[in-house]
Amino acid sequence: MREGVEWAVHCCINLSFISPDRAVPAARLAAFHDLPTAYLNKQLNALGRAGIVSSRSGPRGGFRLGREPEKITLMDVAAAIDGSARAFLCTGIRHQGPAGRIAGPAGHRTPCTVSQAFSRAELAWRRRLARQTIAGLADEVRRANPAAPDHVRHWFDRT
Amino acid sequence: MREGVEWAVHCCINLSFISPDRAVPAARLAAFHDLPTAYLNKQLNALGRAGIVSSRSGPRGGFRLGREPEKITLMDVAAAIDGSARAFLCTGIRHQGPAGRIAGPAGHRTPCTVSQAFSRAELAWRRRLARQTIAGLADEVRRANPAAPDHVRHWFDRT
């Protein structure tokens, strides 16, 4: 999974602490975690294409959440940044060499047992990510450090 | 996940169809799926270090399963080949820049909310892989193609 996923999730949590009326420039979101702006901007644009953030151009432009943080899951963010990339890649070796000749044409019509087994595990992973929202993570941050949301909001207000 | 995982799982299933007394050379396991022997040999040695296969050297040497296929899970194979690599890599950006100063020293003592959320999803993935055994996959192959185990055994007997 690309490191952009970590960046994007933290940015979404930070944006959830800020007034939804307020657009934050990419440079400011990057500065908060000392990240390279150009590369973070790429991730923010990917979030934008998925509707997770919305952007406004102009002097008071920037990014804000595109919908309520209760409606943004970790699966949404991971898919926006990482695509629908799968952890297990089936290259179809069961069709290669003598194995392929033994399986015969029928082997090409049935799904690969090994690939399906890994797919079941990936589905469990995706389901777990889909149950965790930005709002839920923001709540966890708040419980661990009750002053954090205010501190974050104040830092972004000082722009 | 490395493509070696796919190779290793198919090799384990093939070995489960063969008499446990019989050791199969890496070159033969590779030829069955038209794979490069040297690279497959590396995967087989990794399986050997994890006790998933055992090897015997000499003219009648080769690999066989190191324990019953009921006791080899996809998690065992994936961990042997891919290490304990995690899909989500936390680079600790919450400690960087102003974010780190806001969190303060307490932030270094508490685990990262984002990293924990991804860990929960990875745990779901690992648990699912740990519930699937080579014996179970071999049974699925047998149900899809009842003649497959005998065909595989005969091909390896013709060495």
mmCIF file of all heavy atoms in Angstrom, chain A residues 145, chain B residues 92-97 99-112:
data_model
loop_
_atom_site.group_PDB
_atom_site.id
_atom_site.type_symbol
_atom_site.label_atom_id
_atom_site.label_comp_id
_atom_site.label_asym_id
_atom_site.label_seq_id
_atom_site.Cartn_x
_atom_site.Cartn_y
_atom_site.Cartn_z
ATOM 1 N N ASN A 145 -6.499 12.077 23.160
ATOM 2 C CA ASN A 145 -5.934 13.405 23.429
ATOM 3 C C ASN A 145 -7.050 14.440 23.237
ATOM 4 O O ASN A 145 -7.210 15.016 22.156
ATOM 5 C CB ASN A 145 -4.762 13.645 22.453
ATOM 6 C CG ASN A 145 -4.059 14.963 22.717
ATOM 7 O OD1 ASN A 145 -4.507 15.773 23.538
ATOM 8 N ND2 ASN A 145 -2.944 15.184 22.007
ATOM 9 N N GLY B 92 4.822 7.255 10.541
ATOM 10 C CA GLY B 92 4.842 8.121 11.731
ATOM 11 C C GLY B 92 4.730 9.605 11.426
ATOM 12 O O GLY B 92 5.276 10.436 12.158
ATOM 13 N N ILE B 93 3.958 9.977 10.390
ATOM 14 C CA ILE B 93 3.872 11.410 10.045
ATOM 15 C C ILE B 93 3.173 12.215 11.137
ATOM 16 O O ILE B 93 3.313 13.425 11.191
ATOM 17 C CB ILE B 93 3.175 11.678 8.688
ATOM 18 C CG1 ILE B 93 1.689 11.298 8.724
ATOM 19 C CG2 ILE B 93 3.890 11.022 7.537
ATOM 20 C CD1 ILE B 93 0.895 11.949 7.583
ATOM 21 N N ARG B 94 2.451 11.547 12.047
ATOM 22 C CA ARG B 94 1.798 12.326 13.112
ATOM 23 C C ARG B 94 2.842 12.957 14.048
ATOM 24 O O ARG B 94 2.518 13.843 14.821
ATOM 25 C CB ARG B 94 0.816 11.448 13.900
ATOM 26 C CG ARG B 94 1.519 10.416 14.765
ATOM 27 C CD ARG B 94 0.541 9.453 15.379
ATOM 28 N NE ARG B 94 1.272 8.467 16.153
ATOM 29 C CZ ARG B 94 1.071 8.205 17.445
ATOM 30 N NH1 ARG B 94 0.126 8.832 18.100
ATOM 31 N NH2 ARG B 94 1.786 7.300 18.065
ATOM 32 N N HIS B 95 4.088 12.444 14.002
ATOM 33 C CA HIS B 95 5.140 13.037 14.839
ATOM 34 C C HIS B 95 5.895 14.150 14.108
ATOM 35 O O HIS B 95 6.771 14.772 14.682
ATOM 36 C CB HIS B 95 6.159 11.963 15.259
ATOM 37 C CG HIS B 95 5.540 10.821 15.996
ATOM 38 N ND1 HIS B 95 4.723 11.009 17.084
ATOM 39 C CD2 HIS B 95 5.615 9.476 15.794
ATOM 40 C CE1 HIS B 95 4.322 9.819 17.529
ATOM 41 N NE2 HIS B 95 4.829 8.891 16.758
ATOM 42 N N GLN B 96 5.577 14.374 12.839
ATOM 43 C CA GLN B 96 6.355 15.317 12.029
ATOM 44 C C GLN B 96 5.739 16.714 12.032
ATOM 45 O O GLN B 96 4.515 16.857 12.022
ATOM 46 C CB GLN B 96 6.414 14.823 10.566
ATOM 47 C CG GLN B 96 7.228 13.573 10.381
ATOM 48 C CD GLN B 96 7.179 13.020 8.959
ATOM 49 O OE1 GLN B 96 7.497 11.861 8.742
ATOM 50 N NE2 GLN B 96 6.779 13.833 7.993
ATOM 51 N N GLY B 97 6.583 17.726 11.990
ATOM 52 C CA GLY B 97 6.135 19.113 11.826
ATOM 53 C C GLY B 97 5.271 19.581 12.984
ATOM 54 O O GLY B 97 5.333 19.027 14.086
ATOM 55 N N ALA B 99 2.266 19.032 13.649
ATOM 56 C CA ALA B 99 1.432 17.951 14.192
ATOM 57 C C ALA B 99 2.137 17.286 15.369
ATOM 58 O O ALA B 99 1.514 16.999 16.398
ATOM 59 C CB ALA B 99 1.125 16.918 13.106
ATOM 60 N N GLY B 100 3.421 17.050 15.224
ATOM 61 C CA GLY B 100 4.196 16.417 16.289
ATOM 62 C C GLY B 100 4.294 17.303 17.517
ATOM 63 O O GLY B 100 4.220 16.815 18.654
ATOM 64 N N ARG B 101 4.445 18.610 17.289
ATOM 65 C CA ARG B 101 4.554 19.524 18.441
ATOM 66 C C ARG B 101 3.210 19.621 19.172
ATOM 67 O O ARG B 101 3.170 19.719 20.399
ATOM 68 C CB ARG B 101 5.030 20.904 17.974
ATOM 69 C CG ARG B 101 6.494 20.885 17.527
ATOM 70 C CD ARG B 101 7.060 22.279 17.325
ATOM 71 N NE ARG B 101 6.541 22.957 16.136
ATOM 72 C CZ ARG B 101 6.982 22.732 14.892
ATOM 73 N NH1 ARG B 101 7.941 21.834 14.678
ATOM 74 N NH2 ARG B 101 6.481 23.387 13.876
ATOM 75 N N ILE B 102 2.091 19.576 18.426
ATOM 76 C CA ILE B 102 0.766 19.617 19.065
ATOM 77 C C ILE B 102 0.545 18.357 19.904
ATOM 78 O O ILE B 102 0.075 18.420 21.045
ATOM 79 C CB ILE B 102 -0.355 19.765 17.994
ATOM 80 C CG1 ILE B 102 -0.397 21.210 17.503
ATOM 81 C CG2 ILE B 102 -1.705 19.330 18.550
ATOM 82 C CD1 ILE B 102 -1.424 21.468 16.421
ATOM 83 N N ALA B 103 0.902 17.189 19.347
ATOM 84 C CA ALA B 103 0.695 15.932 20.086
ATOM 85 C C ALA B 103 1.584 15.900 21.324
ATOM 86 O O ALA B 103 1.204 15.330 22.354
ATOM 87 C CB ALA B 103 0.991 14.738 19.179
ATOM 88 N N GLY B 104 2.773 16.497 21.227
ATOM 89 C CA GLY B 104 3.681 16.541 22.373
ATOM 90 C C GLY B 104 4.241 15.176 22.719
ATOM 91 O O GLY B 104 4.011 14.197 21.992
ATOM 92 N N PRO B 105 4.964 15.092 23.845
ATOM 93 C CA PRO B 105 5.599 13.814 24.214
ATOM 94 C C PRO B 105 4.573 12.701 24.416
ATOM 95 O O PRO B 105 4.850 11.532 24.144
ATOM 96 C CB PRO B 105 6.320 14.132 25.531
ATOM 97 C CG PRO B 105 6.364 15.623 25.623
ATOM 98 C CD PRO B 105 5.210 16.148 24.835
ATOM 99 N N ALA B 106 3.342 13.063 24.844
ATOM 100 C CA ALA B 106 2.314 12.040 25.062
ATOM 101 C C ALA B 106 2.003 11.303 23.761
ATOM 102 O O ALA B 106 1.691 10.109 23.767
ATOM 103 C CB ALA B 106 1.043 12.681 25.613
ATOM 104 N N GLY B 107 2.090 12.039 22.646
ATOM 105 C CA GLY B 107 1.803 11.445 21.340
ATOM 106 C C GLY B 107 2.741 10.299 21.002
ATOM 107 O O GLY B 107 2.376 9.386 20.263
ATOM 108 N N HIS B 108 3.942 10.360 21.551
ATOM 109 C CA HIS B 108 4.904 9.283 21.276
ATOM 110 C C HIS B 108 4.625 8.035 22.103
ATOM 111 O O HIS B 108 5.131 6.967 21.807
ATOM 112 C CB HIS B 108 6.341 9.775 21.548
ATOM 113 C CG HIS B 108 6.859 10.649 20.450
ATOM 114 N ND1 HIS B 108 7.557 10.140 19.379
ATOM 115 C CD2 HIS B 108 6.753 11.977 20.246
ATOM 116 C CE1 HIS B 108 7.880 11.137 18.565
ATOM 117 N NE2 HIS B 108 7.402 12.264 19.066
ATOM 118 N N ARG B 109 3.834 8.224 23.166
ATOM 119 C CA ARG B 109 3.551 7.068 24.032
ATOM 120 C C ARG B 109 2.289 6.331 23.602
ATOM 121 O O ARG B 109 2.126 5.156 23.920
ATOM 122 C CB ARG B 109 3.418 7.536 25.496
ATOM 123 C CG ARG B 109 4.769 7.911 26.129
ATOM 124 C CD ARG B 109 4.645 8.041 27.638
ATOM 125 N NE ARG B 109 3.690 9.067 28.042
ATOM 126 C CZ ARG B 109 4.011 10.343 28.291
ATOM 127 N NH1 ARG B 109 5.255 10.749 28.155
ATOM 128 N NH2 ARG B 109 3.096 11.205 28.668
ATOM 129 N N THR B 110 1.378 7.037 22.903
ATOM 130 C CA THR B 110 0.142 6.375 22.486
ATOM 131 C C THR B 110 0.302 5.836 21.057
ATOM 132 O O THR B 110 0.971 6.463 20.235
ATOM 133 C CB THR B 110 -1.049 7.365 22.500
ATOM 134 O OG1 THR B 110 -0.689 8.493 21.705
ATOM 135 C CG2 THR B 110 -1.364 7.814 23.905
ATOM 136 N N PRO B 111 -0.316 4.672 20.790
ATOM 137 C CA PRO B 111 -0.199 4.141 19.423
ATOM 138 C C PRO B 111 -0.983 5.010 18.443
ATOM 139 O O PRO B 111 -1.934 5.705 18.828
ATOM 140 C CB PRO B 111 -0.803 2.740 19.540
ATOM 141 C CG PRO B 111 -1.646 2.758 20.766
ATOM 142 C CD PRO B 111 -1.098 3.806 21.675
ATOM 143 N N CYS B 112 -0.572 4.979 17.174
ATOM 144 C CA CYS B 112 -1.233 5.808 16.156
ATOM 145 C C CYS B 112 -2.602 5.214 15.804
ATOM 146 O O CYS B 112 -2.719 4.033 15.447
ATOM 147 C CB CYS B 112 -0.359 5.881 14.911
ATOM 148 S SG CYS B 112 -1.151 6.784 13.580
#
